[in-house]
Amino acid sequence: MNLVPARSRPEMRERTIAIVGAGLIGTGIAYELAKRGASVTVFDRAEPARAASWAGAGMLAPFSEEMPDPAMLALCRASLEAYPEFVAELRERTGLDAQFLRHGTLHVALDERGLHDLVARAAAYAANGGEVSVLDRAQTLEREAAVSRGVAGSVFIANEAQIDNRRLGRALVAGCAALGVRFEHTDEFALETDARRVRGLRSKRGFVAADTVINAAGAWAGAIDGVPLAARVPVFPVAGEMLAIAVPHAFARALIWHGHTYLVPRSDGRLLVGATVLERGFDTRVTAAGLSALLGAALHAAPSLGTFAVVESWAGLRPGSPDQRPFLGATPLEGYFVAAGHYRNGILLTPITARAVADLVLDGRSDVALGAFAVTRTISQRGLTALEALAAAGASANA
Ligand code: GLY
């Protein structure tokens, strides 16, 4: 691992790069660029890593998430494999450990029919690269005693993991700062362009020239002012409500899934329960119906949770994409790049996105296969180009 500050290295590159969005994707890219000697400023309306990056559960679960296609699965698997080194290097550089834990995922079935469905899905998890075992009732309870005594059985995927995304956010911001990345907190900003290329960003504080601008604005990526129509992406918010329960030490170890609800045990004694999936615009309210659905499923899977205190509830906005794949790479506007639309997998895809986008910006190419994620791709499920999907969704550049 080479921790020599990039600025002192002879191959230092003189680039002025602005990143819009200080979430894990934006700070991850900033970190990779700064390691390679670039001059980077990250702009955000909010505190760094406080939107979806803070709200997520940190599940690194490419098999359980049932990816839409092989290209997405391959990208997610590659990012999962990059995680241990990514976190170790950040820890070495900053002293902050984001707690990568590979404790697997346990999908529980509470009746025979559910178990039959789970076992059918297990074959697909295994075919995709999951290290899968089917467990009977006794084996399930032996693995996770918190699960309902009425459990019929389970499917365990050993090679899935979790990260503490809030810690990862703090570590990335610290890593960026150590490498000289600047952070600008600014309320409103717009891209400035000429007929051919990007010129920089204008905010309330004035104009900042940049020869490269990277849109890593998460759920807001489709709504940045000043972006020409041909370079816009059809990214939209998908809300997810969550809650946390304070549980005794060692209550659970694996990620536990029951239907669409997941339980994520954290080392700080909280068990996260998530998440609803709601297309309702930029609305981060936590609703009674959302909490009721999450708690109902959680208590069904692990009834003993009912005796513990709910200590937190919150909602975040996933950056949705029409084909559930992110938009990664250059746009028709010279100097303007996008890294957005990661939907349910932004935390999982942080290491590979950071590396691939830094490659593209600095070298014009990457060894990461990015064809399926091109900004100008056809959105296969709807037979539309990304741009047509944007128009079909009626999105406004100033939403
Ligand atoms: N990655 C899980 C979720 O978005 O709910």
Side-chain angles (χ1 to χ4, degrees):
M1 198 178 299
N2 181 3
L3 297 187
V4 177
R7 279 161 206 296
S8 67
R9 295 208 300 265
E11 72 273 24
M12 183 180 103
R13 297 158 198 259
E14 291 299 331
R15 297 286 295 266
T16 309
I17 299 172
I19 298 178
V20 180
L24 294 181
I25 297 294
T27 56
I29 296 168
Y31 178 71
E32 282 299 323
L33 288 168
K35 279 198 312 188
R36 303 185 206 179
S39 168
V40 185
T41 306
V42 183
F43 295 80
D44 206 314
R45 287 180 292 207
E47 255 180 78
R50 286 291 292 193
S53 306
W54 182 89
M59 291 184 301
L60 309 178
F63 313 110
S64 297
E65 285 283 358
E66 298 183 3
M67 295 303 159
D69 53 61
M72 182 65 173
L73 177 67
L75 193 74
C76 288
R77 288 186 64 185
S79 204
L80 174 59
E81 292 323 307
Y83 243 107
E85 192 180 329
F86 185 69
V87 167
E89 191 207 285
L90 263 176
R91 186 175 56 232
E92 200 165 319
R93 202 181 281 278
T94 66
L96 300 173
D97 181 13
Q99 295 191 338
F100 174 87
L101 301 172
R102 203 188 287 265
H103 290 167
T105 303
L106 191 70
H107 290 261
V108 297
L110 298 175
D111 54 35
E112 287 306 322
R113 189 173 162 186
L115 186 57
H116 183 266
D117 290 349
L118 259 187
V119 171
R121 297 219 309 273
Y125 299 151
N128 286 341
E131 291 169 18
V132 175
S133 11
V134 176
L135 308 184
D136 64 16
R137 176 179 179 278
Q139 290 166 324
T140 302
L141 290 170
E142 195 178 327
R143 182 162 281 287
E144 292 295 348
V147 166
S148 168
R149 309 297 298 170
V151 71
S154 63
V155 165
F156 183 62
I157 307 175
N159 53 342
E160 292 192 324
Q162 68 148 296
I163 191 79
D164 185 326
N165 41 296
R166 296 183 186 178
R167 285 173 183 253
L168 180 62
R170 291 195 289 274
L172 273 171
V173 171
C176 283
L179 289 163
V181 173
R182 291 168 297 281
F183 286 88
E184 289 276 349
H185 184 258
T186 176
D187 259 354
E188 285 169 24
F189 41 75
L191 199 69
E192 289 243 335
T193 67
D194 60 26
R196 195 178 57 85
R197 72 171 343 278
V198 78
R199 292 183 56 243
L201 282 177
R202 182 165 298 281
S203 76
K204 274 186 177 167
R205 297 183 180 190
F207 176 69
V208 180
D211 52 15
T212 302
V213 175
I214 304 167
N215 176 353
W220 293 266
I224 293 178
D225 283 341
V227 179
L229 198 59
R232 286 168 55 191
V233 283
V235 172
F236 53 91
V238 184
E241 297 155 306
M242 296 192 62
L243 60 98
I245 300 174
V247 293
H249 179 66
F251 179 81
R253 194 172 142 85
L255 310 173
I256 299 172
W257 285 61
H258 170 43
H260 297 295
T261 302
Y262 46 78
L263 315 180
V264 181
R266 285 282 198 257
S267 60
D268 63 4
R270 291 177 315 138
L271 182 96
L272 313 188
V273 182
T276 54
V277 180
L278 300 162
E279 288 191 34
R280 59 178 191 193
F282 292 90
D283 177 350
T284 52
R285 286 173 308 142
V286 178
T287 62
L291 289 184
S292 167
L294 294 172
L295 281 170
L299 292 177
H300 197 198
S304 63
L305 278 175
T307 58
F308 304 124
V310 174
V311 290
E312 196 184 344
S313 66
W314 66 95
L317 298 173
R318 304 176 185 87
S321 146
D323 59 4
Q324 302 188 5
R325 288 188 240 141
F327 297 94
L328 302 174
T331 71
L333 179 69
E334 198 178 319
Y336 180 58
F337 293 76
V338 176
H342 294 74
Y343 187 39
R344 294 177 63 98
N345 296 292
I347 297 168
L348 171 58
L349 287 171
T350 292
I352 199 96
T353 300
R355 177 161 72 82
V357 174
D359 291 344
L360 290 181
V361 167
L362 295 181
D363 305 329
R365 58 170 304 282
S366 176
D367 60 11
V368 179
L370 293 173
F373 309 101
V375 173
T376 51
R377 69 179 177 266
T378 296
I379 303 292
S380 56
Q381 285 168 353
R382 300 188 190 179
L384 302 173
T385 65
L387 193 57
E388 286 164 343
L390 179 69
S396 156
N398 295 307

